[in-house]
Amino acid sequence: PGENETRVDLEELKTSVLYSGPVDPAEWVGLRKSYPLLVYLRNNLLMLAILAFEVTIYRHQEYYRCRNNLTAPVTKTIFHDITRAHLDDGVINCVKYFINYFFYKFGLETCFLLSVNVIGQRMDFYAMIHAFWLIAVLYRRRRKAIAEIWPKYCCFLSCIITFQYFLCIGIPPAPYYPWRSGNANFNSNIIKWLYFPDFIVRPNPVFLVYDFMLLLCASLQRQTFEDENKAAVRIMAGDNVEICMNLDAASFSQHNPVPDFIHCR
């Protein structure tokens, strides 16, 4: 570009993808010559091997149950003989119970922690959107109310991660973006904060990993909310209903059916 076509400094312009070296447009669609080819495809082959291994296990389990007239377990857990009644029987049973149902009991809190992690790691415009959603979810307070809005939250996470993925890809390396023109009052810091596609300050794709982990846990929590409405799951794992609105330590043992090890004196 000419001197009046952009407000980018010359030193900053040299780091642009368009001017740092020769540009191959085929790389934008994922075509890149690599040697040896096996090294380039090893991650794809590894994923195919893992998927084939997973399908083999599920097929073998289904065939074994059909041959021996067995029914599938209600919950997909490791220790099928551990229920909520075994939680206070000892440390070993307690560890087994939380291996089975840790996310069932503390999945919502885990999602909140991951949301805070996304906000702290990103510190950009989308982090502010995540903060607004976190405030909206916490404002519901009660678990049933949060469960009603949770599908919308999962839809938001899936849509925003897809949108950001396309932002990371950007357009083919040919023209400049409008926010890099001479009439636009944008600098590199604003573009980075807004997570705009750019040839000089490219969006950080690592942020999508944090968003993906949050989406994964939020999807598991949505399944947890559905399992809470199943009687068979509640018998095995216990219910997640609030004991009382005022968690007063003095009267807490009156509502809690579990033995009180703190205020038992």
Side-chain angles (χ1 to χ4, degrees):
E3 296 180 357
N4 297 327
E5 295 180 8
T6 181
R7 295 186 179 183
V8 183
D9 296 334
L10 184 60
E11 295 297 328
E12 193 177 18
L13 192 63
K14 292 180 180 179
T15 62
S16 173
V17 179
L18 297 176
Y19 299 95
S20 59
V23 177
D24 186 5
E27 293 187 3
W28 185 79
V29 294
L31 300 178
R32 183 177 61 186
K33 188 175 181 180
S34 179
Y35 181 84
L37 185 62
L38 184 60
V39 177
Y40 182 72
L41 297 177
R42 60 183 178 183
N43 293 330
N44 302 80
L45 296 176
L46 180 61
M47 287 188 293
L48 288 176
I50 293 175
L51 291 174
F53 183 68
E54 180 187 11
V55 172
T56 303
I57 292 176
Y58 281 121
R59 291 294 183 183
H60 178 73
Q61 290 178 343
E62 184 179 357
Y63 173 74
Y64 181 81
R65 294 190 183 104
C66 291
R67 187 178 61 181
N68 296 279
N69 294 324
L70 300 175
T71 58
V74 178
T75 59
K76 297 179 180 180
T77 55
I78 298 177
F79 306 102
H80 300 301
D81 55 340
I82 298 296
T83 62
R84 178 63 180 83
H86 299 88
L87 179 60
D88 301 307
D89 289 346
V91 177
I92 297 178
N93 288 335
C94 179
V95 172
K96 289 182 179 180
Y97 175 82
F98 280 113
I99 290 176
N100 287 342
Y101 304 109
F102 175 82
F103 203 87
Y104 179 83
K105 286 295 183 181
F106 300 103
L108 188 60
E109 291 78 6
T110 303
C111 292
F112 290 157
L113 291 177
L114 285 176
S115 180
V116 173
N117 177 67
V118 170
I119 297 171
Q121 294 291 340
R122 297 189 60 114
M123 298 296 290
D124 59 358
F125 174 73
Y126 293 95
M128 184 175 62
I129 298 178
H130 280 287
F132 287 150
W133 262 102
L134 181 61
I135 293 173
V137 172
L138 290 175
Y139 183 76
R140 293 298 183 106
R141 298 184 62 182
R142 296 188 62 85
R143 191 176 183 89
K144 285 295 183 181
I146 294 177
E148 293 176 357
I149 198 178
W150 201 257
K152 299 178 181 178
Y153 182 57
C154 293
C155 181
F156 156 74
L157 293 176
S158 59
C159 292
I160 198 172
I161 194 174
T162 305
F163 179 69
Q164 291 178 90
Y165 177 77
F166 287 111
L167 290 181
C168 290
I169 294 177
I171 61 175
Y176 255 70
Y177 287 100
W179 40 87
R180 283 298 185 181
S181 62
N183 298 326
N185 294 323
F186 285 89
N187 54 30
S188 298
N189 291 330
I190 297 178
I191 293 175
K192 182 179 179 180
W193 186 79
L194 292 174
Y195 206 70
F196 279 171
D198 189 61
F199 296 123
I200 298 176
V201 184
R202 305 181 69 178
N204 189 2
V206 180
F207 290 163
L208 298 184
V209 177
Y210 305 125
D211 289 356
F212 171 76
M213 295 303 298
L214 177 59
L215 175 60
L216 177 63
C217 290
S219 301
L220 293 175
Q221 182 58 38
R222 182 179 180 180
Q223 181 65 39
T224 300
F225 283 137
E226 295 178 357
D227 292 340
E228 289 176 358
N229 298 324
K230 300 178 182 178
V233 177
R234 292 198 301 269
I235 294 174
M236 295 290 295
D239 58 60
N240 289 331
V241 181
E242 293 92 342
I243 298 175
C244 57
M245 294 299 295
N246 295 321
L247 298 179
D248 188 12
S251 60
F252 186 68
S253 59
Q254 300 177 4
H255 307 278
N256 193 356
V258 180
D260 189 357
F261 301 104
I262 299 178
H263 299 88
C264 58
R265 296 187 301 271

